[in-house]
PDB file of all heavy atoms in Angstrom:
ATOM      1  N   ARG Z   1       1.169  92.680  93.290  1.00  0.00           N
ATOM      2  CA  ARG Z   1       0.933  93.637  92.203  1.00  0.00           C
ATOM      3  C   ARG Z   1       1.923  94.799  92.242  1.00  0.00           C
ATOM      4  O   ARG Z   1       2.465  95.218  91.215  1.00  0.00           O
ATOM      5  CB  ARG Z   1      -0.499  94.172  92.278  1.00  0.00           C
ATOM      6  CG  ARG Z   1      -0.866  95.069  91.091  1.00  0.00           C
ATOM      7  CD  ARG Z   1      -2.308  95.533  91.137  1.00  0.00           C
ATOM      8  NE  ARG Z   1      -2.585  96.373  92.283  1.00  0.00           N
ATOM      9  CZ  ARG Z   1      -3.372  96.045  93.287  1.00  0.00           C
ATOM     10  NH1 ARG Z   1      -3.991  94.874  93.301  1.00  0.00           N
ATOM     11  NH2 ARG Z   1      -3.574  96.878  94.306  1.00  0.00           N
ATOM     12  N   THR Z   2       2.192  95.306  93.431  1.00  0.00           N
ATOM     13  CA  THR Z   2       3.125  96.423  93.570  1.00  0.00           C
ATOM     14  C   THR Z   2       4.536  96.008  93.171  1.00  0.00           C
ATOM     15  O   THR Z   2       5.261  96.773  92.528  1.00  0.00           O
ATOM     16  CB  THR Z   2       3.117  96.960  95.012  1.00  0.00           C
ATOM     17  OG1 THR Z   2       1.778  97.329  95.370  1.00  0.00           O
ATOM     18  CG2 THR Z   2       4.015  98.179  95.156  1.00  0.00           C
ATOM     19  N   PHE Z   3       4.925  94.790  93.535  1.00  0.00           N
ATOM     20  CA  PHE Z   3       6.233  94.270  93.130  1.00  0.00           C
ATOM     21  C   PHE Z   3       6.346  94.241  91.605  1.00  0.00           C
ATOM     22  O   PHE Z   3       7.332  94.732  91.027  1.00  0.00           O
ATOM     23  CB  PHE Z   3       6.417  92.858  93.704  1.00  0.00           C
ATOM     24  CG  PHE Z   3       7.680  92.173  93.264  1.00  0.00           C
ATOM     25  CD1 PHE Z   3       8.877  92.394  93.928  1.00  0.00           C
ATOM     26  CD2 PHE Z   3       7.677  91.305  92.168  1.00  0.00           C
ATOM     27  CE1 PHE Z   3      10.049  91.760  93.523  1.00  0.00           C
ATOM     28  CE2 PHE Z   3       8.835  90.669  91.758  1.00  0.00           C
ATOM     29  CZ  PHE Z   3      10.026  90.900  92.438  1.00  0.00           C
ATOM     30  N   ARG Z   4       5.338  93.699  90.942  1.00  0.00           N
ATOM     31  CA  ARG Z   4       5.388  93.602  89.483  1.00  0.00           C
ATOM     32  C   ARG Z   4       5.428  94.988  88.836  1.00  0.00           C
ATOM     33  O   ARG Z   4       6.156  95.220  87.866  1.00  0.00           O
ATOM     34  CB  ARG Z   4       4.181  92.803  88.973  1.00  0.00           C
ATOM     35  CG  ARG Z   4       4.247  91.329  89.310  1.00  0.00           C
ATOM     36  CD  ARG Z   4       3.123  90.543  88.656  1.00  0.00           C
ATOM     37  NE  ARG Z   4       1.825  90.754  89.281  1.00  0.00           N
ATOM     38  CZ  ARG Z   4       0.840  91.466  88.767  1.00  0.00           C
ATOM     39  NH1 ARG Z   4       1.008  92.074  87.600  1.00  0.00           N
ATOM     40  NH2 ARG Z   4      -0.310  91.598  89.390  1.00  0.00           N
ATOM     41  N   GLU Z   5       4.649  95.901  89.379  1.00  0.00           N
ATOM     42  CA  GLU Z   5       4.606  97.253  88.808  1.00  0.00           C
ATOM     43  C   GLU Z   5       5.945  97.967  88.933  1.00  0.00           C
ATOM     44  O   GLU Z   5       6.400  98.626  87.989  1.00  0.00           O
ATOM     45  CB  GLU Z   5       3.487  98.051  89.481  1.00  0.00           C
ATOM     46  CG  GLU Z   5       2.102  97.562  89.086  1.00  0.00           C
ATOM     47  CD  GLU Z   5       0.965  98.215  89.847  1.00  0.00           C
ATOM     48  OE1 GLU Z   5       1.220  98.816  90.918  1.00  0.00           O
ATOM     49  OE2 GLU Z   5      -0.187  98.121  89.396  1.00  0.00           O
ATOM     50  N   MET Z   6       6.593  97.823  90.072  1.00  0.00           N
ATOM     51  CA  MET Z   6       7.881  98.490  90.245  1.00  0.00           C
ATOM     52  C   MET Z   6       8.942  97.897  89.330  1.00  0.00           C
ATOM     53  O   MET Z   6       9.787  98.623  88.783  1.00  0.00           O
ATOM     54  CB  MET Z   6       8.336  98.407  91.704  1.00  0.00           C
ATOM     55  CG  MET Z   6       9.704  99.039  91.964  1.00  0.00           C
ATOM     56  SD  MET Z   6       9.835 100.780  91.441  1.00  0.00           S
ATOM     57  CE  MET Z   6       9.105 101.603  92.853  1.00  0.00           C
ATOM     58  N   MET Z   7       8.908  96.591  89.125  1.00  0.00           N
ATOM     59  CA  MET Z   7       9.882  95.970  88.224  1.00  0.00           C
ATOM     60  C   MET Z   7       9.708  96.473  86.791  1.00  0.00           C
ATOM     61  O   MET Z   7      10.686  96.682  86.062  1.00  0.00           O
ATOM     62  CB  MET Z   7       9.762  94.444  88.268  1.00  0.00           C
ATOM     63  CG  MET Z   7      10.081  93.817  89.611  1.00  0.00           C
ATOM     64  SD  MET Z   7      11.705  94.287  90.276  1.00  0.00           S
ATOM     65  CE  MET Z   7      11.206  95.015  91.848  1.00  0.00           C
ATOM     66  N   VAL Z   8       8.465  96.686  86.376  1.00  0.00           N
ATOM     67  CA  VAL Z   8       8.208  97.225  85.039  1.00  0.00           C
ATOM     68  C   VAL Z   8       8.684  98.679  84.949  1.00  0.00           C
ATOM     69  O   VAL Z   8       9.377  99.066  84.001  1.00  0.00           O
ATOM     70  CB  VAL Z   8       6.708  97.117  84.699  1.00  0.00           C
ATOM     71  CG1 VAL Z   8       6.378  97.911  83.433  1.00  0.00           C
ATOM     72  CG2 VAL Z   8       6.310  95.653  84.512  1.00  0.00           C
ATOM     73  N   ALA Z   9       8.329  99.482  85.937  1.00  0.00           N
ATOM     74  CA  ALA Z   9       8.702 100.901  85.906  1.00  0.00           C
ATOM     75  C   ALA Z   9      10.209 101.084  85.914  1.00  0.00           C
ATOM     76  O   ALA Z   9      10.736 102.016  85.283  1.00  0.00           O
ATOM     77  CB  ALA Z   9       8.081 101.619  87.099  1.00  0.00           C
ATOM     78  N   ALA Z  10      10.915 100.211  86.615  1.00  0.00           N
ATOM     79  CA  ALA Z  10      12.370 100.337  86.718  1.00  0.00           C
ATOM     80  C   ALA Z  10      13.078 100.064  85.398  1.00  0.00           C
ATOM     81  O   ALA Z  10      14.267 100.386  85.259  1.00  0.00           O
ATOM     82  CB  ALA Z  10      12.896  99.389  87.795  1.00  0.00           C
ATOM     83  N   ASN Z  11      12.370  99.484  84.429  1.00  0.00           N
ATOM     84  CA  ASN Z  11      12.959  99.239  83.112  1.00  0.00           C
ATOM     85  C   ASN Z  11      12.706 100.384  82.137  1.00  0.00           C
ATOM     86  O   ASN Z  11      13.111 100.301  80.977  1.00  0.00           O
ATOM     87  CB  ASN Z  11      12.403  97.941  82.515  1.00  0.00           C
ATOM     88  CG  ASN Z  11      13.202  96.728  82.951  1.00  0.00           C
ATOM     89  OD1 ASN Z  11      14.219  96.844  83.621  1.00  0.00           O
ATOM     90  ND2 ASN Z  11      12.736  95.550  82.584  1.00  0.00           N
ATOM     91  N   HIS Z  12      12.050 101.432  82.581  1.00  0.00           N
ATOM     92  CA  HIS Z  12      11.750 102.549  81.683  1.00  0.00           C
ATOM     93  C   HIS Z  12      13.034 103.275  81.305  1.00  0.00           C
ATOM     94  O   HIS Z  12      13.933 103.454  82.130  1.00  0.00           O
ATOM     95  CB  HIS Z  12      10.784 103.524  82.366  1.00  0.00           C
ATOM     96  CG  HIS Z  12      10.089 104.445  81.421  1.00  0.00           C
ATOM     97  ND1 HIS Z  12      10.695 105.571  80.901  1.00  0.00           N
ATOM     98  CD2 HIS Z  12       8.837 104.408  80.892  1.00  0.00           C
ATOM     99  CE1 HIS Z  12       9.839 106.193  80.104  1.00  0.00           C
ATOM    100  NE2 HIS Z  12       8.706 105.514  80.075  1.00  0.00           N
ATOM    101  N   PHE Z  13      13.115 103.714  80.048  1.00  0.00           N
ATOM    102  CA  PHE Z  13      14.372 104.317  79.572  1.00  0.00           C
ATOM    103  C   PHE Z  13      14.704 105.621  80.280  1.00  0.00           C
ATOM    104  O   PHE Z  13      15.843 106.077  80.239  1.00  0.00           O
ATOM    105  CB  PHE Z  13      14.332 104.525  78.056  1.00  0.00           C
ATOM    106  CG  PHE Z  13      13.424 105.628  77.588  1.00  0.00           C
ATOM    107  CD1 PHE Z  13      13.882 106.925  77.503  1.00  0.00           C
ATOM    108  CD2 PHE Z  13      12.121 105.362  77.228  1.00  0.00           C
ATOM    109  CE1 PHE Z  13      13.054 107.950  77.059  1.00  0.00           C
ATOM    110  CE2 PHE Z  13      11.282 106.375  76.793  1.00  0.00           C
ATOM    111  CZ  PHE Z  13      11.750 107.672  76.706  1.00  0.00           C
ATOM    112  N   THR Z  14      13.726 106.236  80.949  1.00  0.00           N
ATOM    113  CA  THR Z  14      13.998 107.501  81.625  1.00  0.00           C
ATOM    114  C   THR Z  14      14.997 107.365  82.767  1.00  0.00           C
ATOM    115  O   THR Z  14      15.608 108.349  83.182  1.00  0.00           O
ATOM    116  CB  THR Z  14      12.688 108.128  82.144  1.00  0.00           C
ATOM    117  OG1 THR Z  14      12.934 109.464  82.603  1.00  0.00           O
ATOM    118  CG2 THR Z  14      12.116 107.334  83.295  1.00  0.00           C
ATOM    119  N   ILE Z  15      15.186 106.153  83.277  1.00  0.00           N
ATOM    120  CA  ILE Z  15      16.200 105.948  84.326  1.00  0.00           C
ATOM    121  C   ILE Z  15      17.307 105.018  83.845  1.00  0.00           C
ATOM    122  O   ILE Z  15      17.936 104.312  84.635  1.00  0.00           O
ATOM    123  CB  ILE Z  15      15.582 105.426  85.639  1.00  0.00           C
ATOM    124  CG1 ILE Z  15      14.793 104.126  85.408  1.00  0.00           C
ATOM    125  CG2 ILE Z  15      14.710 106.475  86.294  1.00  0.00           C
ATOM    126  CD1 ILE Z  15      14.416 103.435  86.704  1.00  0.00           C
ATOM    127  N   ALA Z  16      17.560 105.031  82.551  1.00  0.00           N
ATOM    128  CA  ALA Z  16      18.621 104.199  81.983  1.00  0.00           C
ATOM    129  C   ALA Z  16      19.976 104.546  82.590  1.00  0.00           C
ATOM    130  O   ALA Z  16      20.225 105.701  82.955  1.00  0.00           O
ATOM    131  CB  ALA Z  16      18.673 104.393  80.475  1.00  0.00           C
ATOM    132  N   PRO Z  17      20.878 103.567  82.716  1.00  0.00           N
ATOM    133  CA  PRO Z  17      22.207 103.837  83.278  1.00  0.00           C
ATOM    134  C   PRO Z  17      22.950 104.950  82.560  1.00  0.00           C
ATOM    135  O   PRO Z  17      23.711 105.705  83.179  1.00  0.00           O
ATOM    136  CB  PRO Z  17      22.922 102.488  83.121  1.00  0.00           C
ATOM    137  CG  PRO Z  17      21.823 101.473  83.169  1.00  0.00           C
ATOM    138  CD  PRO Z  17      20.666 102.119  82.476  1.00  0.00           C
ATOM    139  N   SER Z  18      22.749 105.079  81.257  1.00  0.00           N
ATOM    140  CA  SER Z  18      23.449 106.124  80.511  1.00  0.00           C
ATOM    141  C   SER Z  18      23.053 107.520  80.977  1.00  0.00           C
ATOM    142  O   SER Z  18      23.886 108.438  80.987  1.00  0.00           O
ATOM    143  CB  SER Z  18      23.163 105.978  79.013  1.00  0.00           C
ATOM    144  OG  SER Z  18      21.774 106.101  78.753  1.00  0.00           O
ATOM    145  N   VAL Z  19      21.791 107.688  81.368  1.00  0.00           N
ATOM    146  CA  VAL Z  19      21.321 108.982  81.862  1.00  0.00           C
ATOM    147  C   VAL Z  19      21.986 109.308  83.197  1.00  0.00           C
ATOM    148  O   VAL Z  19      22.469 110.428  83.418  1.00  0.00           O
ATOM    149  CB  VAL Z  19      19.787 108.986  82.012  1.00  0.00           C
ATOM    150  CG1 VAL Z  19      19.296 110.316  82.576  1.00  0.00           C
ATOM    151  CG2 VAL Z  19      19.113 108.697  80.670  1.00  0.00           C
ATOM    152  N   VAL Z  20      22.044 108.311  84.073  1.00  0.00           N
ATOM    153  CA  VAL Z  20      22.675 108.509  85.381  1.00  0.00           C
ATOM    154  C   VAL Z  20      24.168 108.767  85.224  1.00  0.00           C
ATOM    155  O   VAL Z  20      24.745 109.616  85.918  1.00  0.00           O
ATOM    156  CB  VAL Z  20      22.419 107.286  86.284  1.00  0.00           C
ATOM    157  CG1 VAL Z  20      23.113 107.464  87.630  1.00  0.00           C
ATOM    158  CG2 VAL Z  20      20.924 107.075  86.482  1.00  0.00           C
ATOM    159  N   THR Z  21      24.794 108.062  84.302  1.00  0.00           N
ATOM    160  CA  THR Z  21      26.225 108.256  84.057  1.00  0.00           C
ATOM    161  C   THR Z  21      26.517 109.686  83.615  1.00  0.00           C
ATOM    162  O   THR Z  21      27.444 110.344  84.123  1.00  0.00           O
ATOM    163  CB  THR Z  21      26.726 107.266  82.987  1.00  0.00           C
ATOM    164  OG1 THR Z  21      26.523 105.934  83.452  1.00  0.00           O
ATOM    165  CG2 THR Z  21      28.203 107.483  82.702  1.00  0.00           C
ATOM    166  N   SER Z  22      25.724 110.185  82.669  1.00  0.00           N
ATOM    167  CA  SER Z  22      25.924 111.558  82.195  1.00  0.00           C
ATOM    168  C   SER Z  22      25.685 112.561  83.314  1.00  0.00           C
ATOM    169  O   SER Z  22      26.443 113.532  83.466  1.00  0.00           O
ATOM    170  CB  SER Z  22      24.993 111.845  81.015  1.00  0.00           C
ATOM    171  OG  SER Z  22      25.342 111.063  79.895  1.00  0.00           O
ATOM    172  N   ALA Z  23      24.645 112.333  84.095  1.00  0.00           N
ATOM    173  CA  ALA Z  23      24.369 113.231  85.219  1.00  0.00           C
ATOM    174  C   ALA Z  23      25.518 113.200  86.225  1.00  0.00           C
ATOM    175  O   ALA Z  23      25.921 114.237  86.767  1.00  0.00           O
ATOM    176  CB  ALA Z  23      23.057 112.840  85.890  1.00  0.00           C
ATOM    177  N   GLY Z  24      26.047 112.012  86.474  1.00  0.00           N
ATOM    178  CA  GLY Z  24      27.178 111.892  87.384  1.00  0.00           C
ATOM    179  C   GLY Z  24      28.400 112.643  86.886  1.00  0.00           C
ATOM    180  O   GLY Z  24      29.096 113.320  87.657  1.00  0.00           O
ATOM    181  N   ARG Z  25      28.664 112.540  85.594  1.00  0.00           N
ATOM    182  CA  ARG Z  25      29.791 113.280  85.012  1.00  0.00           C
ATOM    183  C   ARG Z  25      29.613 114.783  85.194  1.00  0.00           C
ATOM    184  O   ARG Z  25      30.559 115.494  85.531  1.00  0.00           O
ATOM    185  CB  ARG Z  25      29.916 112.957  83.522  1.00  0.00           C
ATOM    186  CG  ARG Z  25      30.476 111.576  83.190  1.00  0.00           C
ATOM    187  CD  ARG Z  25      30.533 111.393  81.678  1.00  0.00           C
ATOM    188  NE  ARG Z  25      31.066 110.101  81.270  1.00  0.00           N
ATOM    189  CZ  ARG Z  25      32.356 109.825  81.097  1.00  0.00           C
ATOM    190  NH1 ARG Z  25      33.255 110.777  81.310  1.00  0.00           N
ATOM    191  NH2 ARG Z  25      32.756 108.629  80.716  1.00  0.00           N
TER     192      ARG Z  25
END
């Protein structure tokens, strides 16, 4: 159950690559 939940949470737009890219810049 924990595995499935983390996989779902990791797809949330709040941690989208574009957000990390902008923060990195």
